[in-house]
Structure formats: C-alpha cells, structure tokens
Amino acid sequence: MNYILKRLGYGLLLMLGVVVLNFFLIRLAPGDPAVVIAGEMGGATEEMLESIREEYGLNKPLLTQLWIYVSSVAQGDLGESFFFNQPVSKLIALRIGPTILLVIVAQILSIVIGVFLGVLAARKPNGIMSAFVSVFATIGYAVPVFWTGIMLIILFASTFPIFPVEGMQSVKLRDANIFIRSLDITHHLVLPAFTLAIIYLAQYARLSRASMLEVLGADYIRTARAKGASERSVLFKHALRNAALPILTIAGLQFGNLISGALLVETVYNWPGMGRLAFDSILRRDYPTIMGVLFFASAMVVIANLITDLSYRLADPRLRGKS
Amino acid sequence: MSDLEKTLRAQSPMAEAWRMFRRNIPAMFGLIILIMIILTTLYGAFVFTGDPYEIVWAPHEPPLLTPEFPLGTDYLGRDIIAGLLTGGAPTLAVGASAAIITMVIGITLGAFAGYYGGWVDTLLMRITEFFQVLPALLFAMVLVTLFSPSLITIAIAIGVVSWPQTARLTRAEFLRIKELEYVTAARAIGAQNGLIMWRVIIPNAAPPLIVSATLTVGVAILFEAGLSFLGLGDPNKMSWGLMIGMNREYILDAWWPVTFPGLAIFLTVFSVSLVGDGLNDAFNPKLRER
C-alpha cells in the first residue's frame, strides 16, 4: 500500500514536470507569448491579447506566471482554445474516450496475438514458425504505420468493402440503441486497431519467443514434462507464466510509442480522438489545445506505467510486500 | 613480423565481428540494399537535375503506361520517380543526424549516470524517466511547430525525444564495465575519470551502442516520415513522407503515388534493421541461437 502511494506521488510529480515543461515551451517559442497562446489563425484582437495577458498574468514576473499556470492546471483549467472557442478540457474530454479505446484494443490485440505466435515459434526454435516470426518482426518494425493504414484503406475501401475505412460511427446509426451502436463502433475499430497493433504485435512475438526459449530450458519445465503434463499445459501454464515478465515490462514501456502511433492512425482513419485533435490544433497553431493534449497523453503514459508496475507485482510473487 | 601482424589483426574484435557479419546472409542482403539506397539518394541529390515539384504530365498517369514516367504521376501530374529520387535526401539526412544527436545526448547522460552513481545517477535517471513519459511523436510535433519546420529543427526534435533508451543502455553498460578489473587497473595507474570514461569504458561498451545506433537510425527515419506525412516537415524539400501526405486525399483514385514512397521508406528502414540485427549477432555470437 505504501508502495502504491509512493508510485502515485511520483506519477503526480512527473505530471507536474509536464506542466512546467508546457509552460516553458510556450515562452521559449519565438514571439509574444500572448500571441502564441491566441494562435495564428485566431485573428487575435488587441482586447483578446489583453485578456490573455490578464488571465495568464503575462505582465508579472516569470515565477508568478508559472505559479498561476500550475495552479490553474491543478484546478482542471487548461485554458481556452481560441480556435475552437471552447475550454481545452472540454475539447479533450470529448476526444479522450476514442483514443483510449483505440490504444487499449490495439495493445490487447498485439499482446494476445503476438504472445501466441511467439509461443508457437518457441516450440521449434528452427522451425518455419520461428522464421516467420523473425521475418514478420523485422517487417513490422520497418513499415511506417500511416502507410500500412493507407494500404489497408485502399484494400478495404474498394476491393473488399467489409470494414469501414473512416470515422468511428455511421451517421445513419447515430440514433440506434446502445447495442447496435457498440457493434457499429467495433466494426469501425477493426482496421485502425489492427493497423496500430501490427507494429507491436511483431515485437511481442519476437520478444516472447526469445523469453520462452530461455524459460523452456529450465529444470522445472523438464520436471513438468517428466510428470506427464500435457504440452499445452507446459507451454501456457508453466513456461508462459515465467516468460511473461519481460513481456509485461516492454508492454509498459511501449505505451508511449503506442500513443504516438495512435496519433498517426487517427489521422489516417479520421478517428475522432486526441491524435486527430492534436493534428488539427497543430495546423492551426492552437497552442493551448496542443499543450492540453500533450498533458493528457503524458498522463495516460504515467497511468499505464503505474498499472504495469502493479501488475508486475501481481505477476511476480517475489516482489510482493517489497517496496 | 608481418605474419604476427596478420594474426593480431585477425583477432581484433572488429575484424572478428566483420567476419561473422559477412557470413550472415540477411545482414549482407540488408547492407547491399542500404548501399544501393544511399547511392540512389546521392544521385538524386547531386546529379539528378529534375524538379520534383514540376508538373510534367497529366495527373494520375498510371505506372508502366508512359515510357517517360515509368512509375506514373501524382494528383497534379508530377513525376513520381523524380519525387523518389530527390525525396530520399531529407529522410536519410534527418535520420542520420537525428541518430547522431540521440547517441550524443544518450551516451553522455548515460555515461555520467552509470559512472558516478549516487545523486548524479538518481537525478539523470529521473530526467530520463520524465522524457520517457512524453509521447515522442507528439512532443516532436510540438517542438517542430513551435520552432519552424526545417531539417535541423526536425533532426533536433527527433533527437530530443529518442535519447532515453540510449541513455539507459549506456548506463547499464557503464554499471557493468566500471566494476571490471581493467577499469580498476586504469584507476590504479592514476587515470582520471574523464579518461576512464571515454578511453576505457566507452570502447568496451561500443558493440551494443553501435547496434543501438543503427536501430536509432531506423526509428529516426520513421519519425521523419511521420512528421513529413503530417505536413510538419520542411515544405520546400520533397521527401517520401511528404509525397504520401500530399497524395493522401486521392488514394481511392490512384494507389501508386502513395505506394512507391511508402515502399521506399519501408525498404530503407528494413535494410537498416537487417544490418542492425546482423551487427547484434556478429557482436554476440552466443546469442545467435535465438
């Protein structure tokens, strides 16, 4: 419990770091911070700039400005988007759900399929499956994710029109009941989630193969086989449980990359998430929104790391009770 | 004497690694493709005189139909081959320089953290963890937008977001090597810390760092491609990512303007990672079984 509190505190500290970084990034940008905050396309009037200066305290000393900024973020106020004419927190609240859905489904897909492929490959270290996994992993690493997305769109838009290639919901089903709508969203989710999963799937396959090979040489595996455990039980129960730790570590570390990938995938598929919002606001130089997205995206990574940390302790009894 | 020299040379670790590398078919295949890509890019940058932005033909001319434009034209009627030839230079240049920046930051911080330990280590590792929390592409996007998109800004932005892994690797190597006898020996003869770090430990940590540098080049190329695809690259420099981004709207009318640049990016990163894997195997013959 103590440990969890400690990790939580550390996570909050990291988030404070992100806020401070955001603050200095705006001030490091060339030009008047008020103009930067208003955004180039905002068509900022002198009154508007004056009100921004007032709100952010831009006429006060730098440390006071920092304090004003940090305390308003702590109260959930991420500023106003002058392009969308809405509070940033509201904009993000609308967009964070789709991103979380996309990222988590992609993560699960890549871990489940990747680990399964890796375990199959580990059974025969020199077999066809092993060769396939290593070739696939190298290819998966090298393909630009946005290009995979575009190729899949070309394939599925005209040749095999079985999956929708754009957006998250069909317009005509917007008023249907919740069950039909979730089916519709799942249907829309297939291609984006799969596109995002491909890169990581390949890496998990390779990693779990290596990790399994290491574990399969251990004495307790020979013991399990000797006592007559079925091959499936040896692979998935005895071996995989011990091979899972490095996979878990990487899964936690990959989360930030996954969000970066989601950004591109959302742009390609017009998925209405934070990545799409980041892209739109960057084109309009809407810095309060960009900074808000950066803040929330980092928060997602911090939370993911926290969860990884905790599940690590659940998965490895040796770590329990230690801090 | 010359025989002895030969024997000595044959036993040097780098020569040994090269011998292993040469026998590795996928790695040599990757190396050959990579050299071809680099040569083509150099040709495109310094010899080729065509303008990739020039409209030369009807829009969306399919590949293989017109002999002058074997890969067809894009939505404005620009030659795709011209784009491919000139579009490699920014990608490769940014990839290589971003990798250098990454290695310089990562190795310096990792070396100090691993060598000095204590509060230096704690502080530097906290900074590293902080940078690992920031989603790299998003942070790079922010940096590029704040400080005008030029090749240099992009390279710096990619370098700034991708050093943490190198720092961790370097730190781990330093923690391992600094306990070894030859480091103690160097200290015993009065070598200073700086000398031990750069002349004794770094050379011995080189193999994993070289492998990591290779893989970093691949990641940096993907980053550059992603940024250009989003329209955040240097708009005056044709690049493979930019070609895909510009033709994105018309993919359902024409597949070729996006397919070929994507293949070029893929082949480049693919060959780089084959070389990286080959180097890894060459430096760690024991791991070859995996």
Side-chain angles (χ1 to χ4, degrees):
Chain A
M1 197 59 209
N2 229 341
Y3 176 80
I4 299 175
L5 282 180
K6 219 168 159 183
R7 296 300 305 179
L8 263 177
Y10 184 54
L12 284 177
L13 210 66
L14 283 175
M15 290 321 298
L16 179 70
V18 177
V19 176
V20 175
L21 178 77
N22 273 352
F23 173 84
F24 282 108
L25 278 177
I26 294 272
R27 268 118 194 121
L28 276 175
D32 178 0
V35 178
V36 173
I37 291 167
E40 270 177 12
M41 313 276 280
T45 57
E46 196 46 48
E47 296 149 43
M48 217 162 150
L49 293 181
E50 210 35 63
S51 82
I52 291 174
R53 283 193 193 104
E54 189 60 33
E55 194 186 332
Y56 288 80
L58 292 179
N59 299 323
K60 297 185 177 125
L62 199 64
L63 277 179
T64 321
Q65 290 180 31
L66 178 61
W67 172 246
I68 293 175
Y69 186 68
V70 170
S71 54
S72 63
V73 172
Q75 288 161 26
D77 176 13
L78 287 162
E80 187 91 5
S81 158
F82 290 89
F83 176 76
F84 293 99
N85 223 343
Q86 273 184 38
V88 171
S89 41
K90 203 173 155 195
L91 276 174
I92 290 175
L94 287 173
R95 304 294 197 105
I96 199 164
T99 297
I100 292 179
L101 182 69
L102 173 63
V103 167
I104 287 183
V105 170
Q107 176 86 313
I108 293 174
L109 267 181
S110 56
I111 292 180
V112 171
I113 304 178
V115 168
F116 187 71
L117 288 180
V119 170
L120 285 188
R123 283 170 62 188
K124 292 195 183 101
N126 295 314
I128 292 179
M129 196 61 200
S130 279
F132 172 75
V133 162
S134 48
V135 171
F136 182 59
T138 319
I139 292 179
Y141 162 85
V143 182
V145 61
F146 55 91
W147 187 66
T148 326
I150 289 178
M151 291 294 115
L152 288 177
I153 289 180
I154 293 178
L155 190 68
F156 282 98
S158 48
T159 321
F160 305 105
I162 42 176
F163 294 116
V165 295
E166 203 189 20
M168 191 171 85
Q169 295 185 54
S170 312
V171 181
K172 55 182 184 210
L173 292 177
R174 197 161 277 170
D175 301 319
N177 66 38
I178 187 117
F179 178 70
I180 293 183
R181 274 180 53 203
S182 349
L183 272 184
D184 185 39
I185 292 178
T186 314
H187 195 203
H188 279 81
L189 187 59
V190 174
L191 288 182
F194 190 67
T195 306
L196 187 53
I198 287 178
I199 328 169
Y200 304 102
L201 194 162
Q203 290 177 14
Y204 289 125
R206 181 151 141 172
L207 180 73
S208 50
R209 175 174 173 271
S211 179
M212 281 292 283
L213 280 180
E214 207 162 294
V215 170
L216 282 175
D219 288 343
Y220 56 80
I221 296 297
R222 206 170 13 156
T223 312
R225 288 217 168 99
K227 76 177 188 192
S230 72
E231 187 61 22
R232 191 199 287 167
S233 153
V234 168
L235 280 178
F236 287 96
K237 262 175 121 179
H238 296 82
L240 186 57
R241 279 196 187 175
N242 285 288
L245 289 175
I247 301 169
L248 208 60
T249 314
I250 296 298
L253 282 177
Q254 286 291 12
F255 206 80
N257 294 336
L258 204 64
I259 291 181
S260 289
L263 213 110
L264 290 165
V265 170
E266 284 181 9
T267 314
V268 171
Y269 287 99
N270 253 324
W271 187 260
M274 287 207 303
R276 181 79 221 179
L277 180 67
F279 178 64
D280 289 342
S281 47
I282 275 183
L283 287 187
R284 274 129 198 173
R285 300 191 170 263
D286 177 1
Y287 289 105
T289 311
I290 301 172
M291 296 309 179
V293 173
L294 188 61
F295 177 79
F296 272 95
S298 319
M300 281 165 68
V301 178
V302 168
I303 294 171
N305 285 346
L306 214 68
I307 295 174
T308 314
D309 228 45
L310 295 181
S311 47
Y312 210 91
R313 295 166 81 79
L314 283 179
D316 189 349
R318 282 166 296 188
L319 286 173
R320 275 181 218 157
K322 282 188 200 162
S323 58
Chain B
M1 195 60 188
S2 75
D3 273 358
L4 181 63
E5 263 171 21
K6 247 184 215 162
T7 326
L8 284 177
R9 199 171 301 148
Q11 280 168 348
S12 94
M14 287 297 161
E16 179 75 6
W18 169 237
R19 208 169 51 81
M20 296 285 286
F21 188 90
R22 242 178 6 199
R23 284 204 217 135
N24 186 337
I25 295 169
M28 283 309 282
F29 175 72
L31 186 64
I32 291 168
I33 298 185
L34 186 62
I35 290 174
M36 277 161 51
I37 292 174
I38 293 175
L39 289 179
T40 316
T41 304
L42 288 176
Y43 171 80
F46 296 110
V47 185
F48 181 71
T49 48
D51 176 7
Y53 287 95
E54 192 192 349
I55 293 168
V56 289
W57 198 252
H60 283 167
E61 175 73 18
L64 299 177
L65 290 187
T66 324
E68 298 102 295
F69 311 108
L71 293 184
T73 58
D74 76 352
Y75 75 108
L76 286 178
R78 299 180 290 202
D79 184 9
I80 288 174
I81 289 218
L84 287 181
L85 279 176
T86 42
T91 310
L92 293 190
V94 167
S97 39
I100 293 173
I101 297 171
T102 306
M103 295 314 285
V104 169
I105 306 179
I107 291 179
T108 313
L109 295 190
F112 276 99
Y115 188 78
Y116 287 105
W119 66 268
V120 179
D121 185 27
T122 314
L123 177 73
L124 291 176
M125 279 301 109
R126 288 290 184 254
I127 297 176
T128 312
E129 276 167 38
F130 174 70
F131 273 88
Q132 278 188 316
V133 161
L134 300 168
L137 183 67
L138 186 60
F139 188 48
M141 280 166 80
V142 172
L143 289 182
V144 170
T145 343
L146 278 170
F147 306 99
S148 76
S150 68
L151 293 188
I152 296 171
T153 330
I154 297 169
I156 293 176
I158 297 173
V160 166
V161 296
S162 36
W163 61 267
Q165 249 168 353
T166 312
R168 284 174 171 261
L169 178 69
T170 312
R171 174 178 175 266
E173 282 298 301
F174 264 69
L175 286 178
R176 182 177 67 83
I177 294 173
K178 78 171 177 186
E179 305 296 338
L180 297 179
E181 277 130 5
Y182 54 76
V183 176
T184 321
R187 198 169 287 134
I189 58 169
Q192 309 239 301
N193 285 335
L195 190 76
I196 297 179
M197 282 164 80
W198 305 120
R199 300 293 297 279
V200 180
I201 303 187
I202 290 268
N204 285 292
L209 291 179
I210 292 174
V211 173
S212 147
T214 323
L215 296 178
T216 307
V217 173
V219 173
I221 289 175
L222 288 176
F223 256 117
E224 192 278 339
L227 287 171
S228 315
F229 165 72
L230 291 173
L232 298 173
D234 188 335
N236 303 315
K237 294 252 163 50
M238 185 59 82
S239 81
W240 294 335
L242 180 63
M243 289 172 78
I244 302 179
M246 287 188 308
N247 285 287
R248 223 189 102 198
E249 309 267 319
Y250 314 98
I251 48 176
L252 297 182
D253 305 325
W255 53 269
W256 54 94
V258 290
T259 306
F260 296 120
L263 276 177
I265 301 169
F266 164 69
L267 265 184
T268 312
V269 182
F270 185 64
S271 57
V272 168
S273 80
L274 283 180
V275 170
D277 283 350
L279 287 174
N280 196 21
D281 290 350
F283 288 130
N284 306 298
K286 271 181 259 162
L287 293 177
R288 293 198 90 183
E289 297 302 306
R290 288 195 196 152

